Amino acid sequence: MDFLKRLNINADSKGISTGTKWLTGSRNKIQSSSPVDGKQIASVTICDKKSYDVVIDTAQKAFLEWRLWPAPKRGEIVRQIGNELRKNKNDLGKLVSYEMGKSLQEGMGEVQEMLDICDFAVGLSRQLYGLTMHSERPGHRMYEQYHPLGIVGIISAFNFPVAVWSWNSMIAMVCGDVCVWKPSEKVPLCGVACQQIISKVFKENKVPEGVCNLITGAREQGEWMTEDKRVALISATGSTRMGKAISVVVGARLGKCLLELGGNNAIIISENADLDIALVGSLFGAAGTAGQRCTTTRRLIIHEAVYETFKKKLVAAYKQLKIGDPLQPGIHVGPLIDKDAVQLYLDSIEACKKQGGKFVVPGGTLTGKGFESGCYVKPCIAEVTNDMEIVQHETFAPILYLIKYTTIEEAIALQNNVPQGLSSSIFTLNIREAELFLSQAGSDCGIANVNIGTSGAEIGGAFGGEKETGGGRESGSDAWKAYMRRQTNTINYTDKLPLAQGIKFTV
């Protein structure tokens, strides 16, 4: 495929880089296959321990120099990275779509998120503000400032193979940190392609070797980073189970974690909703990316007065979904990432049936021409109760649960009554309902929307959730503070030394 050649993706690609230099690594390989057609795309070198130590040592040395670059100069590097990504947007978007399986439109949208965060980070490079406070001691000035942490380890998931890395790395770099990225072993070529693209900027600007590093592998390589005291911050995106394991290991060495974990997101459909826009939000939220977003709509909590009407609209809309090769125009739903994900989807359907769920749009796998990879499934809908065990879990597949409610207070309670707390939404034209949903008595999620769905977060806002979603915040707002250490400074410009709280200490 031409886009692979233009991105310098070869049949046998190296997967370990310190910025512009590629390391040999292990003889073992990751085989990257496309869920679109089942074909092998390329093999990628797995990082061995020797190469890992070279990467970390190089990153440590780079940090000592990079942190001294003025922040706006670091921002200029990120600006140029954004320009290179723009030049490669179409090819990188196609690679995301082909290696991961999301629609081409969504693949392009993910690359656009990278461009947006580069723009945001460039502006941020001149806005790393601290505060000035009044001292209780005369002749003193007190203020706080932020300094970079050091090495930031980034462990990303398959469903957003490039955007989440950029959310972390572009912000971390303007903050003065250096990055080591381990992409998901299911989509390693996206990581290789990104490193190829940004290396040109590093060469032209003589950026210290080791500012932005890539390692490839699976669980073992991630464990090296989480256990490594030289890695100041671990930013990890994945399952709640993975996040709990990482937090224990990193916490034991008193390191820092930024966790973006599972979601079990709900949309409340009020009796006062505009059902037409609610339908669009619910359809994309549930079926987009084949249900493989952390912000995917898993539950619809629908008022009893409009329940049957909205269900009929939804069932009719599901019949119009086009499933197939995501690189082709007009396709709404591509494949799941692999056959393991398909099995999880099928197991979840069976569990839902056993626990009393009633399917109004049945699920199943798709076979035959165009579906040879074995990774294509039907988006499905089941009527359930919120307390079912399967409903309390996040299933990374296009299974949507319908739940009926009577009062807005009941709806909010249902929305909150799951272990996860990432994204939430209400569709209503009633301002009292909207404000209640956004109040202290409302949604307990990190993201709460009114009259838009649960997915599609913007760069300008901090992204993340509460409870078993991990509590981390990435991307916009003041999420940059996670990549820096806060320091309080006091300057005495007098010839006396008054002590705080009026303490007297004479010698």
Side-chain angles (χ1 to χ4, degrees), residues 352-397:
C352 183
K353 290 177 180 177
K354 289 180 181 179
Q355 293 168 27
K358 177 186 175 183
F359 280 84
V360 295
V361 174
T365 56
L366 293 167
T367 57
K369 187 176 181 180
F371 305 120
E372 290 87 355
S373 70
C375 296
Y376 292 87
V377 302
K378 300 175 184 177
C380 56
I381 305 173
E383 294 179 294
V384 300
T385 58
N386 199 65
D387 59 353
M388 290 180 182
E389 183 180 357
I390 191 64
V391 178
Q392 291 287 309
H393 288 85
E394 178 191 40
T395 301
F396 229 53

Side-chain angles (χ1 to χ4, degrees), residues 47 141 147 189 236 245 297-298 335 373 383 429 436 445 473 507:
C47 183
R141 181 166 69 89
H147 297 301
L189 296 176
T297 304
R298 308 286 174 198
S373 70
E383 294 179 294
L429 301 179
L436 178 62
C445 293
R473 293 296 185 277
V507 292

Side-chain angles (χ1 to χ4, degrees), residues 15 98 117 125 263 305 396 478:
Y98 188 57
I117 199 64
S125 69
F396 229 53
D478 65 347

Side-chain angles (χ1 to χ4, degrees), residues 161-276:
V162 294
V164 172
W165 163 72
S166 68
W167 291 357
N168 285 273
S169 60
M170 300 308 152
I171 301 295
M173 280 195 287
V174 299
C175 289
D177 297 309
V178 299
C179 302
V180 179
W181 177 26
K182 192 201 83 66
S184 169
E185 65 273 20
K186 297 182 180 183
V187 285
L189 296 176
C190 287
V192 173
C194 288
Q195 194 74 16
Q196 296 273 20
I197 292 168
I198 66 176
S199 64
K200 178 182 177 182
V201 176
F202 294 158
K203 287 179 182 178
E204 291 176 350
N205 291 273
K206 298 181 179 179
V207 172
E209 193 71 29
V211 166
C212 202
N213 307 270
L214 175 73
I215 64 172
T216 46
R219 181 172 179 173
E220 183 179 26
Q221 286 71 21
E223 288 176 345
W224 292 341
M225 278 206 293
T226 58
E227 294 169 357
D228 196 335
K229 293 181 180 180
R230 297 170 293 180
V231 181
L233 170 69
I234 293 290
S235 177
T237 303
S239 67
T240 297
R241 176 191 56 77
M242 180 201 77
K244 288 180 177 180
I246 287 175
S247 65
V248 169
V249 175
V250 177
R253 61 176 177 86
L254 298 181
K256 296 180 182 293
C257 274
L258 196 167
L259 301 175
E260 296 290 355
L261 310 176
N264 194 346
N265 316 295
I267 295 177
I268 297 172
I269 310 292
S270 164
E271 62 180 324
N272 301 301
D274 180 329
L275 296 185
D276 291 333

Side-chain angles (χ1 to χ4, degrees), residues 402-449:
L402 305 187
I403 302 163
K404 190 181 295 184
Y405 81 90
T406 303
T407 68
I408 184 62
E409 292 79 10
E410 178 192 2
I412 292 172
L414 289 167
Q415 134 71 36
N416 292 343
N417 192 22
V418 291
Q420 309 83 1
L422 179 52
S423 187
S424 58
S425 171
I426 186 171
F427 280 86
T428 182
L429 301 179
N430 184 314
I431 191 170
R432 291 178 177 175
E433 289 184 329
E435 291 293 341
L436 178 62
F437 179 73
L438 300 176
S439 74
Q440 298 93 323
S443 169
D444 64 0
C445 293
I447 299 170
N449 298 326

Side-chain angles (χ1 to χ4, degrees), residues 11-267:
D12 189 10
S13 296
K14 291 183 178 179
I16 312 147
S17 173
T18 55
T20 63
K21 297 178 181 177
W22 292 84
L23 307 183
T24 303
S26 169
R27 292 183 180 180
N28 297 322
K29 307 285 184 179
I30 296 173
Q31 305 297 331
S32 177
S33 300
S34 172
V36 175
D37 54 20
K39 295 180 180 178
Q40 183 173 315
I41 309 171
S43 63
V44 181
T45 305
I46 293 177
C47 183
D48 56 17
K49 191 62 167 63
K50 181 179 179 181
S51 298
Y52 170 80
D53 286 331
V54 170
V55 168
I56 297 297
D57 288 343
T58 307
Q60 282 187 304
K61 292 174 183 176
F63 173 63
L64 298 179
E65 182 178 347
W66 182 246
R67 65 182 178 178
L68 300 179
W69 283 38
K73 187 177 178 182
R74 298 193 296 253
E76 170 59 18
I77 301 302
V78 171
R79 186 189 69 80
Q80 293 184 39
I81 289 173
N83 287 343
E84 284 302 310
L85 290 170
R86 281 182 176 87
K87 294 175 186 177
N88 292 274
K89 179 178 178 180
N90 288 338
D91 290 334
L92 189 54
K94 289 176 182 177
L95 175 60
V96 169
S97 179
Y98 188 57
E99 189 176 32
M100 185 267 156
K102 62 176 63 176
S103 72
L104 181 57
Q105 188 175 359
E106 289 185 79
M108 295 297 181
E110 181 171 349
V111 179
Q112 185 61 49
E113 286 193 38
M114 303 176 77
L115 306 183
D116 293 342
I117 199 64
C118 285
D119 290 346
F120 181 91
V122 172
L124 178 65
S125 69
R126 295 181 182 271
Q127 300 179 78
L128 300 174
Y129 299 136
L131 298 174
T132 299
M133 291 79 72
H134 288 282
S135 173
E136 67 184 43
R137 291 170 283 189
H140 284 60
R141 181 166 69 89
M142 185 164 62
Y143 67 98
E144 65 182 23
Q145 59 183 333
Y146 289 83
H147 297 301
L149 290 172
I151 299 176
V152 173
I154 303 167
I155 301 173
S156 60
F158 74 85
N159 59 330
F160 279 85
V162 294
V164 172
W165 163 72
S166 68
W167 291 357
N168 285 273
S169 60
M170 300 308 152
I171 301 295
M173 280 195 287
V174 299
C175 289
D177 297 309
V178 299
C179 302
V180 179
W181 177 26
K182 192 201 83 66
S184 169
E185 65 273 20
K186 297 182 180 183
V187 285
L189 296 176
C190 287
V192 173
C194 288
Q195 194 74 16
Q196 296 273 20
I197 292 168
I198 66 176
S199 64
K200 178 182 177 182
V201 176
F202 294 158
K203 287 179 182 178
E204 291 176 350
N205 291 273
K206 298 181 179 179
V207 172
E209 193 71 29
V211 166
C212 202
N213 307 270
L214 175 73
I215 64 172
T216 46
R219 181 172 179 173
E220 183 179 26
Q221 286 71 21
E223 288 176 345
W224 292 341
M225 278 206 293
T226 58
E227 294 169 357
D228 196 335
K229 293 181 180 180
R230 297 170 293 180
V231 181
L233 170 69
I234 293 290
S235 177
T237 303
S239 67
T240 297
R241 176 191 56 77
M242 180 201 77
K244 288 180 177 180
I246 287 175
S247 65
V248 169
V249 175
V250 177
R253 61 176 177 86
L254 298 181
K256 296 180 182 293
C257 274
L258 196 167
L259 301 175
E260 296 290 355
L261 310 176
N264 194 346
N265 316 295
I267 295 177

